[in-house]
Amino acid sequence: MEKELRVIISGGGTGGHIFPAVSIANAIKAKYPSAKIQFVGALGRMEMQRVPAAGYDIKGLPICGFDRKHLLKNIAVLFKIWKSERMAKKIVKDFKPMVAVGVGGYASGPTLNVCASMGIPCLIQEQNSYAGVTNKLLAKKASKICVAYEGMERFFPADKIIMTGNPVRQNVVDATISKEDARAKFGLDPNKKTILLVGGSLGARTINESMRQHLDKVKNADVQFIWQTGKYYNAEMNQAVKDFGDIPNLKVLDFISDMGAAYRAADLVISRAGASSISEFCLIGKAVILVPSPNVAEDHQTKNAMALVDKDAAIYVKDADAPDKLLDKALEIVHDDAKLASLTENIKKLGLKDSADVIANEVVKLAWGKQ
């Protein structure tokens, strides 16, 4: 009889790291219901809430990133790294994992360093087309590196790389609602072309401004809009619409819980270029205009976007240009059926199915010593 499977999963900081981590854990539990899984995150970051909400135990490390603007503050950072390494060592010794998984983010550094030093095999999952700092540092110690983009040999040893794609929300991929019913669900005309704008759960200032500044064009457009403002900007954007007057072809929401239906309703999506979102667009074959956030490490969202744009699988609008150009570009594309069809066809070629399952298989193989 095989011994109990024990897996440690570390990382987080953003939803783009946390969601794949939880998906991998769920895929492992589906194969081995008795598996023990321990998460390790960074204190004060969103994984400390999201992971328990998904049903898993998590331990927090006091780790944080270096402050490049205030160098003296890094004395405290160095102490936190030292303390995190000691805490990670105790967590690993107590839990006794057979394999460690790092998904990027501060916490995965000390956790996987400790595991590697103790001879525990490590797997890292890199969501973006431009590798994060932590994963680049961990690559030499990892046995396997799961990626979602071609050309990752720039960052990692080629013989360790496995092309798996990124785990995505299953309810997005599995949505069976028709386009007409999806539009009706949002209180829109079932037969009218529709543009969906999403900026993440908190919202994206630039995408919101691109709408707010051109509400006259929105009202006069022969197309309807689902506009997710994000919770942070919702009151301000709703007030702008109220001040403008009635816009019957516009649905304004702070948050959309059923993204599967929202994507089905849309002929065209306008979005940031986070790795998880892009993976969803590829799997469902959705025409998209990407407006990468400039406020992310190493400008990785622009690199994510260009990986699609270079294959004619998405349209790119620079963040700084969006308030002036985004809405006009969207209205041009949504009325060009040939362009919509080619974007859909090209992006679908880039989709990788069952990513969480494929990664889980690799994790299990390492745990049982079947490299």
Side-chain angles (χ1 to χ4, degrees), residues 216-252:
D216 54 336
K217 284 184 184 176
V218 170
K219 183 171 182 175
N220 295 321
D222 186 25
V223 63
Q224 53 200 0
F225 299 84
I226 302 170
W227 179 14
Q228 181 192 280
T229 62
K231 293 183 189 299
Y232 188 76
Y233 300 104
N234 190 249
E236 181 187 353
M237 297 303 148
N238 261 315
Q239 189 60 51
V241 172
K242 188 178 175 184
D243 292 346
F244 180 85
D246 185 42
I247 309 178
N249 59 328
L250 174 64
K251 183 79 175 176
V252 183

Side-chain angles (χ1 to χ4, degrees), residues 90-118:
K90 182 173 183 340
I91 292 166
V92 173
K93 279 185 172 176
D94 289 348
F95 183 68
K96 299 181 178 63
M98 298 155 68
V99 60
V101 179
V103 294
Y106 301 133
S108 61
T111 307
L112 267 72
N113 276 331
V114 167
C115 287
S117 72
M118 294 168 69

Side-chain angles (χ1 to χ4, degrees), residues 203-220:
R205 163 64 70 185
T206 305
I207 292 175
N208 287 333
E209 282 299 314
S210 302
M211 288 289 279
R212 189 188 66 77
Q213 293 178 24
H214 303 289
L215 292 174
D216 54 336
K217 284 184 184 176
V218 170
K219 183 171 182 175
N220 295 321

Side-chain angles (χ1 to χ4, degrees), residues 10 17 68 102-106 108-110 112-113 116 122-147 151-158 160-161 296-300 303:
S10 187
H17 292 312
R68 289 170 186 158
V103 294
Y106 301 133
S108 61
L112 267 72
N113 276 331
C122 298
L123 176 147
I124 59 177
Q125 198 247 336
E126 175 56 60
Q127 298 92 28
N128 293 294
S129 63
Y130 193 90
V133 173
T134 305
N135 278 349
K136 281 192 277 190
L137 292 171
L138 290 170
K140 287 177 185 173
K141 298 170 184 178
S143 302
K144 304 240 175 114
I145 302 168
C146 296
V147 302
M152 298 304 283
E153 299 84 4
R154 290 176 295 158
F155 310 107
F156 304 130
K160 295 181 180 181
I161 293 174
V296 293
E298 291 147 324
D299 197 25
H300 69 250
K303 297 174 177 85

Side-chain angles (χ1 to χ4, degrees), residues 61-64 75-85 110:
L61 304 178
I63 187 112
C64 62
I75 296 167
V77 173
L78 288 168
F79 174 72
K80 286 180 178 179
I81 292 171
W82 174 80
K83 190 176 179 184
S84 295
E85 290 269 355

